[in-house]
Amino acid sequence: MLAAQNTIKLAAAELLGTWRAYSVTGTGIFAVKSNFLFTLYADGRIYSVQNGITYNGAWRVEEDLFFCQYNGESATKTQTTFFAGDNWYYTGLGKGVKYTAVRVSDQPSLIPIVFLDQDRTPMPSQSTIVDVEKLAGHWKAVNDKGASFKFNIYSDQRLYTVNGENAFNASWTVQGDRFYEYFDYVDEPAILKTTFFDGKTWKYESLDNGNKYIATKIAAVPQKMVVQPAKPKPEPNNAAKANNKDIGRYSPSSRICYCCTGTHKKDCSSCSGQGGFNERISYERYNASTDRYETDYRYEWRTCTAMGCDNGKTDCDCCDKRSEELFNPNSMDKVPHDETIIGSWNGNGGDVWTFFAEGSYDYKVFQVISGGQKLIGSWVIEDGLMKVQFTYSKDWQQYSFNAGWTANSITLTNRVDYKVIKLTKRQ
């Protein structure tokens, strides 16, 4: 019989809490040091903030192995080489990166969220109506239409909701009778107004849509929840379904921007659209009648030097290049249904695109994992186009579907530089 070689046996209960991990990649002058914070919850959830970007997923241990899978990413495996309470050394089995983790707290603690110099860390809660200490735990809510869902509230101002086939991660804070939910990758918070709270029963209503809810606390600690896949609908036996095609639809039109009427350009505020201005300057002029040089004035044209001004026009910051003109040649092009887009896709050069169903009232959210970096943005299909906006850029990019699509393959063509993004559905 073969003797077991691994001597370290991790217990999940030993790992709970918030950690700071350190790693070094490369050597010598090319060495890159990094650190990030992550929290391991008792319900098998993991939460991390890396370079201001939030990551959520699931974790488990098997003897000396730690398995972690962030949403939308492939699973990672690390092997523990040393563990002693508040110090944890482990090595990634993929690229061999070595990590040193130091425990910050044995209970989940608030992790700051600062992205592109914007502090998105939730405010400390202040309320005489809601006992904040009694919020943490596992809840079941029912709305006034009879629909129900479950959610976990964590003591570090994080929240995880499972509603059928959908799951949501958010930060939260309480201010007076208002409970603010800041869903990851969505700018505007959902606002719930509390009408009753005693730690066991919580009555509240949404200030966004007016729905009323009654939540009952099921457990004092968060519980493991599983997303329920949607039951497949019976499909008619027709050619379109047999070929796995989305026959498409006509998309809604965007609102015409009042600033640029869809041209994506507006008058520069510095030169009022003139491209420059006449400047009154003084000069010395000889006066023959007095035999002296005298000061006189004339106007000279000065080109506008305001940032972004191009012959009197600047990029429109009202619609950020999302709006379309009254006549849009793509407006009658057929486009895929949103349901076809939602999901994970392999893109150019090994990129992984994930289009989420969640978002705001007029856009949804996507992420791209490229070269080890995660990029977040918004997406919408309108005007016969796919429009995307990355969080690091204020401008929307527009792509056409002219190259066609199926439920498993989509080709997007940029309307400006004609670069192509080819997407293949991940299995």
Side-chain angles (χ1 to χ4, degrees):
M1 294 179 61
L2 294 175
Q5 298 298 309
N6 50 304
T7 58
I8 298 175
K9 292 187 177 182
L10 298 173
E14 297 177 327
L15 303 180
L16 302 182
T18 300
W19 297 79
R20 182 181 294 277
Y22 302 85
S23 67
V24 178
T25 56
T27 58
I29 61 173
F30 301 104
V32 177
K33 299 179 180 179
S34 62
N35 71 87
F36 57 91
L37 289 160
F38 66 93
T39 296
L40 302 178
Y41 302 104
D43 61 346
R45 299 292 300 168
I46 182 172
Y47 167 63
S48 179
V49 176
Q50 302 176 31
N51 297 320
I53 298 175
T54 57
Y55 294 78
N56 299 276
W59 69 278
R60 65 183 178 89
V61 294
E62 186 69 39
E63 295 187 340
D64 60 338
L65 299 177
F66 179 86
F67 298 83
C68 169
Q69 184 168 19
Y70 290 113
N71 297 346
E73 299 185 11
S74 58
T76 60
K77 308 175 186 68
T78 64
Q79 186 170 31
T80 297
T81 55
F82 175 81
F83 181 82
D86 294 338
N87 294 283
W88 182 13
Y89 302 158
Y90 54 90
T91 303
L93 296 182
K95 297 182 179 180
V97 178
K98 298 183 183 300
Y99 296 87
T100 299
V102 178
R103 194 192 300 268
V104 175
S105 64
D106 56 8
Q107 296 295 323
S109 61
L110 182 67
I111 298 177
I113 308 173
V114 181
F115 182 72
L116 297 179
D117 295 327
Q118 293 183 350
D119 191 343
R120 300 179 180 178
T121 309
M123 297 173 56
S125 296
Q126 295 181 348
S127 177
T128 58
I129 298 172
V130 176
D131 187 342
V132 178
E133 298 297 325
K134 294 181 179 179
L135 274 174
H138 183 59
W139 296 79
K140 180 179 180 180
V142 180
N143 67 15
D144 48 5
K145 297 178 177 60
S148 66
F149 57 91
K150 295 180 179 179
F151 58 94
N152 286 332
I153 293 182
Y154 306 99
S155 58
D156 58 346
Q157 293 184 249
R158 289 292 293 174
L159 179 148
Y160 179 58
T161 301
V162 171
N163 187 355
E165 61 182 306
N166 296 313
F168 310 94
N169 296 281
S171 297
W172 62 268
T173 185
V174 178
Q175 303 295 320
D177 63 351
R178 295 181 178 179
F179 183 91
Y180 294 84
E181 290 180 289
Y182 291 87
F183 293 101
D184 292 356
Y185 318 134
V186 179
D187 291 334
E188 300 295 334
I191 306 176
L192 309 175
K193 182 177 180 179
T194 298
T195 55
F196 177 82
F197 183 88
D198 66 0
K200 296 180 180 179
T201 301
W202 182 12
K203 298 180 181 180
Y204 55 88
E205 61 181 273
S206 169
L207 297 185
D208 295 296
N209 56 30
N211 289 344
K212 293 179 170 57
Y213 301 83
I214 298 177
T216 303
K217 197 170 193 177
I218 299 175
V221 294
Q223 302 294 303
K224 185 174 183 179
M225 296 184 292
V226 178
V227 174
Q228 299 296 324
K231 295 181 180 179
K233 297 179 181 179
E235 296 184 355
N237 185 20
N238 55 41
K241 291 296 182 180
N243 292 327
N244 202 18
K245 290 183 178 179
D246 174 1
I247 61 175
R249 42 111 185 184
Y250 295 109
S251 59
S253 298
S254 63
R255 293 171 294 178
I256 303 300
C257 177
Y258 67 91
C259 293
C260 70
T261 62
T263 64
H264 299 164
K265 294 289 184 180
K266 70 174 189 176
D267 288 346
C268 172
S269 59
S270 296
C271 65
S272 301
Q274 301 303 309
F277 53 91
N278 285 311
E279 182 179 17
R280 187 170 183 260
I281 63 171
S282 62
Y283 68 98
E284 295 297 317
R285 179 177 61 84
Y286 176 72
N287 188 338
S289 61
T290 61
D291 193 29
R292 290 187 304 176
Y293 282 91
E294 298 174 351
T295 301
D296 203 350
Y297 297 90
R298 67 171 178 262
Y299 286 93
E300 290 187 1
W301 181 255
R302 296 286 186 264
T303 301
C304 181
T305 58
M307 183 177 295
C309 181
D310 181 11
N311 198 27
K313 299 294 183 179
T314 60
D315 289 344
C316 181
D317 56 5
C318 299
C319 67
D320 294 331
K321 300 184 179 180
R322 174 172 168 175
S323 175
E324 281 301 314
E325 298 181 72
L326 292 174
F327 174 74
N328 169 24
N330 296 96
S331 60
M332 294 306 294
D333 292 346
K334 278 196 171 184
V335 298
H337 292 81
D338 285 356
E339 291 75 11
T340 298
I341 302 293
I342 294 168
S344 293
W345 302 76
N346 291 324
N348 304 349
D351 297 348
V352 177
W353 293 69
T354 302
F355 297 91
F356 298 100
E358 298 81 37
S360 182
Y361 70 95
D362 66 346
Y363 65 81
K364 295 179 174 64
V365 177
F366 75 89
Q367 72 177 24
V368 182
I369 299 173
S370 176
Q373 298 293 316
K374 178 185 285 189
L375 306 175
I376 308 300
S378 307
W379 71 278
V380 66
I381 298 178
E382 62 186 12
D383 300 314
L385 302 166
M386 164 69 92
K387 301 181 182 180
V388 299
Q389 181 191 43
F390 288 92
T391 53
Y392 62 75
S393 172
K394 67 181 183 66
D395 292 335
W396 287 80
Q397 300 176 30
Q398 301 186 355
Y399 293 84
S400 71
F401 293 95
N402 293 342
W405 71 86
T406 68
N408 296 315
S409 178
I410 295 174
T411 300
L412 301 172
T413 305
N414 192 292
R415 293 183 70 200
V416 175
D417 58 18
Y418 300 103
K419 289 184 178 179
V420 171
I421 298 176
K422 292 185 178 181
L423 301 174
T424 305
K425 200 66 172 283
R426 290 170 65 88
Q427 301 300 320

